[in-house]
């Protein structure tokens, strides 16, 4: 199946402008702030694009300089940018600091943002009807009722067209109450083909915080997805699919900036899927890309190209079934 305009991966979600402190310590003492962009889904798209895949981003931005920044940066990474300009709401903003080395803290200014006003009418027909993989997350589902309906509609249409739906639970407690999040995310799992979750997110959905990651994968897979991947940080990750159970160990790296590591893993995994790799190789690629992200500054700036990936994969350790 070939994507609209050759696009293999389409992502849907909010991308914000970001201001990051230029040194380690409380934000209030920062001497300067670096300007960039950040968004869970767009990080996945950038990661896939750097690995040679045609990727598109769908979202909303304000009719402001920050919206222009988002468009410019994502286009500069080779993405097919399908951004609706909203003249009635601003582009969202995120402030980022490192209180101590290796730890990141973020502050969102996204209530009422253009991205939160995403609606089903913003979805481009050509992308949904032709993309091989759609990826979105629980962050987008949490932004508003219309954003949630956009997630549902995109998933329905891509699956109806024969595409694959990838969904990362990405639970953010600051965006919605836990019980509403659980109820909503449970309703989205059956619309998903490949589901990603951290171990704590998996426990929230299954209601069993004593289950092993493999047991959590089986429980979530019983709800509908073909493949479930549960990540456990430094403990590695496990997937359960028709291919069986695959485990991969985390790489030992010096953590510089942990923000974006989960999205980087997803980017690597989906790159493996799009490249026709088997499950073990997909998991290994996701682990390698995630490790590179953790060892570099920024959510997506340090994501590897194919040469960087080859170097990281050479250190990926043993993958066992």
């Amino acid at each position: 199946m070939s994507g609209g305009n050759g696009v293999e991966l389409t992502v849907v979600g909010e991308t914000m402008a970001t201001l990051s402190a230029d040194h380690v310590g409380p934000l209030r003492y920062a001497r300067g702030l670096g300007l960039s962009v950040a968004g869970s889904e767009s990080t996945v798209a950038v990661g896939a694009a750097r690995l040679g895949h045609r990727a598109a981003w769908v979202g909303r931005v304000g009719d402001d300089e920050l919206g222009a920044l988002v468009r410019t940066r994502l286009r500069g990474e080779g993405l097919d940018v399908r951004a609706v300009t909203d003249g009635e709401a601003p582009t969202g903003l995120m402030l980022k600091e490192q209180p101590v080395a290796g730890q990141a803290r973020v502050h969102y200014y996204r209530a009422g943002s253009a991205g939160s006003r995403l609606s089903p009418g913003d979805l481009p027909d050509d992308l949904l009807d032709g993309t091989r993989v759609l990826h979105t997350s629980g962050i987008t589902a949490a932004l508003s009722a219309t954003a949630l309906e956009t997630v549902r509609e995109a998933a329905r249409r891509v699956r109806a067209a024969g595409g694959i739906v990838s969904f990362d639970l990405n639970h953010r407690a600051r965006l919605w109450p836990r019980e509403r999040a659980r109820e909503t995310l449970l309703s989205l799992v059956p619309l998903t083909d490949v589901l990603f979750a951290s171990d704590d997110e998996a426990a929230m959905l299954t209601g069993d915080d004593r289950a092993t990651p493999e047991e959590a994968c089986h429980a979530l897979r019983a709800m509908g997805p073909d493949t479930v991947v549960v990540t456990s940080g430094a403990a590695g990750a496990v997937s359960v699919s028709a291919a069986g159970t695959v485990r991969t160990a985390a790489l030992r790296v010096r953590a510089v900036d942990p923000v974006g590591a989960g999205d980087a893993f997803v980017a690597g995994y989906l790159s493996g899927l799009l490249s026709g790799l088997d499950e073990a190789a997909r998991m290994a690629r996701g682990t390698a890309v995630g490790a590179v992200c953790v060892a570099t500054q920024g959510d997506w700036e340090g994501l590897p190209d194919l040469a960087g990936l080859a170097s990281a994969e050479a250190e990926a350790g043993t993958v066992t079934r």
Side-chain angles (χ1 to χ4, degrees):
M1 180 180 183
S2 60
N5 296 321
V7 169
E8 298 175 90
L9 171 67
T10 298
V11 304
V12 178
E14 181 176 31
T15 298
M16 300 167 287
T18 65
L19 291 170
S20 302
D22 62 356
H23 75 295
V24 175
L27 182 63
R28 72 191 74 175
Y29 300 121
R31 295 177 294 272
L33 296 170
L35 181 63
S36 187
V37 301
S40 175
E41 292 86 357
S42 56
T43 293
V44 172
V46 169
R50 289 195 181 175
L51 296 174
H53 305 285
R54 290 285 306 278
W57 172 76
V58 178
R60 277 195 180 218
V61 295
D63 186 14
D64 50 32
E65 281 298 304
L66 298 183
L69 171 73
V70 170
R71 290 174 182 266
T72 300
R73 290 290 175 92
L74 297 187
R75 284 176 179 152
E77 290 297 319
L79 302 189
D80 180 350
V81 175
R82 305 295 185 95
V84 173
T85 300
D86 191 325
E88 299 180 0
T91 303
L93 177 65
M94 180 178 81
L95 297 181
K96 184 176 176 182
E97 62 178 329
Q98 285 197 64
V100 297
Q103 293 185 7
R105 185 161 59 197
V106 296
H107 310 273
Y108 296 112
Y109 297 85
R110 69 198 311 177
S113 68
S116 71
R117 290 157 58 94
L118 187 70
S119 68
D122 298 335
L123 296 170
D125 292 339
D126 63 325
L127 291 181
L128 295 188
D129 293 342
T131 194
R132 289 179 60 192
V133 175
L134 167 76
H135 177 73
T136 187
S137 79
I139 294 175
T140 301
L143 294 178
S144 67
T146 60
L148 172 59
E149 186 51 38
T150 303
V151 169
R152 295 189 195 279
E153 179 65 15
R156 293 189 194 106
R157 289 174 60 181
V158 168
R159 295 187 96 190
I164 295 169
V165 174
S166 165
F167 189 77
D168 189 339
L169 291 181
N170 253 340
H171 175 238
R172 297 293 183 269
R174 283 178 288 181
L175 292 178
W176 51 357
R178 182 181 176 88
E179 282 308 309
R180 182 157 65 88
R182 182 176 186 274
E183 179 182 359
T184 301
L185 293 173
L186 282 171
S187 74
L188 293 172
V189 170
L191 298 176
T192 301
D193 298 298
V194 182
L195 180 68
F196 297 92
S198 64
D199 44 14
D200 58 332
E201 291 165 346
M204 181 180 76
L205 260 63
T206 63
D208 185 357
D209 58 7
R210 293 183 294 179
T212 66
E214 183 177 349
E215 290 170 340
C217 283
H218 282 289
L220 290 170
R221 189 168 184 256
M223 300 178 190
D226 295 327
T227 302
V228 177
V229 179
V230 171
T231 58
S232 303
V238 60
S239 81
V240 172
S241 67
T245 298
V246 174
R247 298 180 182 85
T248 183
L251 293 181
R252 292 183 179 180
V253 296
R254 178 178 175 272
V256 173
D257 184 353
V259 177
D263 299 321
F265 178 95
V266 172
Y269 181 98
L270 293 181
S271 169
L273 185 158
L274 291 168
S275 298
L277 304 183
D278 65 19
E279 187 66 17
R282 295 174 193 176
M283 292 286 285
R285 180 167 290 193
T287 298
V289 175
V292 173
C293 179
V294 169
T296 55
Q297 195 70 44
D299 292 25
W300 55 268
E301 288 85 346
L303 292 174
D305 58 13
L306 286 170
L309 173 65
S311 176
E313 285 184 324
E315 304 175 18
T318 302
V319 178
T320 58
R321 291 184 183 276

